Amino acid sequence: MEIAALVPAAAGIALSPLPVASVVFLLGHRRGYGSAAACAVGWTVAVAVALVVAVAVGERLPAPTGDGPPVQAIVALVAAAVLLVLAGWQWANRRLPDGSPASSRWADAMEALGPGRSFLLGAVLFLSPKSLVLALAAGLTFGDGDPAALQTVVVGLLFVLASGSVVALPVVLALALGRRADGPLRAMRSWIAEWGARSLVVVLVVLGVVQLAIGATGLR
């Protein structure tokens, strides 16, 4: 199993502004840590489930032959196309009809969510084309290893933790710093409301280019 090949997928899943924005906004309302932590846990559980499903799917795909291109290369090229199309769509829809940033719609929605709904929100937010295609690409890489081997299990756990790390980071900071985290969290909420949609475009473009390079290399 090529462990280095998992880095782009883990980084791409981790760098998902929408769940990060949801956790940050949840930290700002009256239900505080519980709802924010539940959202981060829901996201991480969804990553783990998606990885297991992707590995199962990958094991059922036909084995590569010398007559055709590798399945991993095709998946990477499809992922690149999906990510770049999403980047274009996100750029076109980065603002609401009234001219306000699209990210600002989350601030009001977060007020109504308790821990249970926040957990479901974290899981549902994973069901985006970006995360799903990256999970499939990672699952195909894991399919090259022995599922019973200790290394595969450890790498799988590290992949899940890395993919959920950025979403969980605001909760960790809030718990560690207490009231001292209020200022940075307010600044983060303001930054996300104004620049969150644009940052997602950048992430999607970078990931699209990386997957394109992986796919092109795999076809050689």
Side-chain angles (χ1 to χ4, degrees):
M1 180 175 58
E2 298 180 7
I3 298 177
L6 296 170
V7 174
I13 294 173
L15 297 175
S16 298
L18 195 52
V20 175
S22 300
V23 169
V24 172
F25 285 131
L26 283 168
L27 284 170
H29 75 45
R30 64 184 184 278
R31 308 194 188 193
Y33 297 163
S35 295
C39 184
V41 171
W43 172 267
T44 305
V45 170
V47 173
V49 172
L51 182 62
V52 171
V53 172
V55 171
V57 170
E59 290 178 345
R60 285 165 174 75
L61 292 175
T65 64
D67 299 332
V71 175
Q72 286 181 323
I74 296 175
V75 171
L77 292 175
V78 171
V82 171
L83 293 169
L84 293 174
V85 168
L86 286 174
W89 180 87
Q90 181 66 31
W91 177 258
N93 294 276
R94 66 191 185 280
R95 288 189 172 273
L96 300 174
D98 62 1
S100 61
S103 304
S104 63
R105 74 184 66 184
W106 286 97
D108 296 333
M110 295 302 101
E111 288 293 334
L113 298 182
R117 290 184 178 180
S118 297
F119 178 89
L120 292 177
L121 173 65
V124 169
L125 287 177
F126 183 82
L127 301 178
S128 66
K130 174 180 78 73
S131 298
L132 293 175
V133 297
L134 291 174
L136 178 58
L140 293 179
T141 301
F142 274 99
D144 292 338
D146 180 3
L150 178 61
Q151 181 197 36
T152 302
V153 175
V154 171
V155 172
L157 290 174
L158 291 176
F159 179 89
V160 172
L161 292 175
S163 299
S165 60
V166 177
V167 176
L169 182 59
V171 180
V172 174
L173 291 177
L175 290 173
L177 299 178
R179 296 300 299 271
R180 290 177 296 171
D182 291 347
L185 287 174
R186 281 196 300 269
M188 194 178 296
R189 282 192 289 271
S190 299
W191 187 91
I192 289 173
E194 180 62 31
W195 298 100
R198 293 181 177 88
S199 67
L200 180 55
V201 173
V202 174
V203 169
L204 290 170
V205 170
V206 171
L207 291 174
V209 172
V210 170
Q211 291 297 318
L212 183 61
I214 292 173
T217 301
L219 292 178
R220 293 181 180 178

